[in-house]
Structure formats: structure tokens, C-alpha cells
Amino acid sequence: MYLEVYEDHEWADLVAEMWTSFMQRRPDARICLPTGETPRPLYASSAPNLDLSSTTVFLLDEFDLPRGSAARCDSMFEQDLLRLLVRPPKAQHRLRVEASDADAECSRFDAIIGKGGLDLTILGLGGNGHIGLNEPGTSMDSPTRMVDLSPATTRAAKRYDADANALRGMTLGMHRIIESDEVWLLVTGSHKTAVLERMLSGPIGPELPASYLRDHPNATVFADRSAAPNL
Ligand code: PGA
């Protein structure tokens, strides 16, 4: 795993340059994208130059909240990226958390990703070490599925909408993340320093699912100085 640390004021622009250049090299890539506070400045910086018109986009996860909730990942994705894009994705796929048969919905989503898998998966780092909604306790081979959220994640979702009471969610499986050809983990802000240090130097295992990325052949952590003051 690689680690890049950028000064806070240039983090979004530098990662945006990397992403724009990735998309220029691989316009037809199949990519998975996160939502939340972390990617917001990256999306704002990237959007004017980003051409996703040949790209297939998968949304990483979704909270089990009513449609239209500001904390829903599809709402944030629309607000933070899609509406800013001059050249929107060729195709986009999301986990329909409201489906009556959750297992069938997760299988449907996984089948679209298919054998070819993902070329690039971009992730945020949860305060409890989750990636997607792969919460502590997740094994490395966990499939795409509906999960019960930890109390910390339910609390964290209230940052997006104070009325949100997210107790469950659907997430891309850990095995899909690990199989992705390339993974970028975005980590910003001093509130992520402790979990980033645990992820980088603690044991690799289910207690901190992001730690599995240390064994990935092409994973990069993009941290800002606030998140990584000692690195
Ligand atoms: P955040 O969420 O970017 O809003 O901090 C990260 C995550 O939980 O994946």
C-alpha cells in the first residue's frame, strides 16, 4: 500500500489531478465512488475537468433511509458530484436499499459489476475503520449485502442530516473492494488521525476493516496533513 500526504489546502486539487488523469488514461473504466464529507472537496475540484461520458459508475453504499433524505448516499452523490458534472457518467448503478428482497438486490448489483470487477474504487475512512459500510467484524470475503450499522455509524450519519436514524445499509462487499484493480482511500481532518494510525500500524483484521487494504497490491491512501500530522 502506498501513502501520499498533501498539505490541507492542496489535497483536493492534487487528488483531483490524479483522478482526472486516471480518467483520461482509462475513459471506459468501471469505477466505484463514495459519498460523505471526505470526497466533497475532491468532487468540487474535479467536476469541471472530469469527463465521465464513457465511464460506468457504481455507488459504494446506501443507508436504509427514506428516499430523498439528505443523508442518503444517492442524495449526496447527486448534490456533491452529479449536478456539477459537465460530462456525466455513461452509466451509473446504485444499491436500491428500498428493494423488498435485499439479497436479490445485492446479487443484481454484484452481477452488473460482474467478473470483470472494478478498475478503481475510491473510499472514505469511517471513524470506526469501516470502508463502505463494511463495519468492524467484517471478514475479508464478505459479499455485497445489507448490514446492521454500528452505533458510531448511525451517529455519523446524523452529520449529514440530523433527523436521519440509519440502522442498516447496503454496501459493496469487502471482497469486491479487495478485488478492485486499484483502490484509493481518502482520509482528511484531524478527527481521522487516530483511526488512520490504527489502520496503518495496528493488526490487519476484522476489527478495523480498512486495514485489509495494507495487503492490496495497488492501494493508495491520500491523506491530508491534518489527518496525518506525523507521517
Ligand atoms: P465521512 O465518512 O467522509 O463523512 O467522514 C467516511 C465514511 O464513513 O466512509
Side-chain angles (χ1 to χ4, degrees):
M1 197 181 66
Y2 307 96
L3 172 67
E4 298 280 352
V5 181
Y6 301 140
E7 297 309 317
D8 292 11
H9 68 275
E10 55 184 12
W11 178 89
D13 291 344
L14 291 176
V15 183
E17 273 173 34
M18 303 273 306
W19 189 22
T20 308
S21 123
F22 180 97
M23 297 318 314
Q24 282 164 354
R25 288 193 313 275
R26 301 288 312 279
D28 59 349
R30 297 151 60 79
I31 67 173
C32 183
L33 296 177
T35 52
E37 285 179 355
T38 311
R40 242 170 228 157
L42 166 65
Y43 291 164
S45 175
S46 307
N49 303 316
L50 206 56
D51 181 355
L52 297 183
S53 57
S54 304
T55 308
T56 302
V57 170
F58 296 84
L59 192 53
L60 175 67
D61 50 11
E62 187 57 273
F63 292 115
D64 186 13
L65 291 169
R67 288 204 79 154
S69 163
R72 286 249 314 207
C73 300
D74 55 1
S75 303
M76 290 191 276
F77 195 56
E78 173 66 33
Q79 184 69 19
D80 297 340
L81 182 65
L82 293 179
R83 74 183 176 89
L84 307 177
L85 286 173
V86 182
R87 290 168 290 273
K90 176 179 89 170
Q92 41 175 309
H93 302 284
R94 63 179 188 91
L95 284 157
R96 295 184 299 216
V97 77
E98 55 282 341
S100 55
D101 184 338
D103 288 347
E105 171 58 11
C106 291
S107 300
R108 180 195 67 83
F109 186 81
D110 238 20
I112 301 170
I113 296 175
K115 285 203 174 65
L118 296 160
D119 299 303
L120 171 66
T121 299
I122 302 182
L123 304 164
L125 175 62
N128 65 356
H130 73 207
I131 43 180
L133 291 173
N134 291 288
E135 297 278 51
T138 297
S139 63
M140 209 164 161
D141 58 358
S142 294
T144 300
R145 68 208 182 285
M146 179 78 95
V147 297
D148 292 328
L149 301 182
S150 70
T153 300
T154 300
R155 272 197 307 279
K158 289 183 186 294
R159 286 176 302 150
Y160 313 132
D161 176 354
D163 294 334
N165 187 31
L167 302 175
R168 303 190 311 164
M170 280 184 184
T171 183
L172 183 73
M174 182 61 78
H175 79 112
R176 283 294 194 186
I177 296 175
I178 297 294
E179 280 171 13
S180 180
D181 285 351
E182 190 161 346
V183 179
W184 296 359
L185 180 68
L186 313 177
V187 191
T188 58
S190 57
H191 60 302
K192 297 285 173 75
T193 302
V195 68
L196 178 59
E197 283 177 0
R198 278 178 62 213
M199 184 223 154
L200 294 174
S201 51
I204 294 176
E207 290 315 307
L208 207 142
S211 64
Y212 292 129
L213 297 177
R214 278 173 33 210
D215 284 339
H216 191 285
N218 195 4
T220 305
V221 176
F222 290 99
D224 73 1
R225 179 63 65 199
S226 288
N230 306 316
L231 296 171

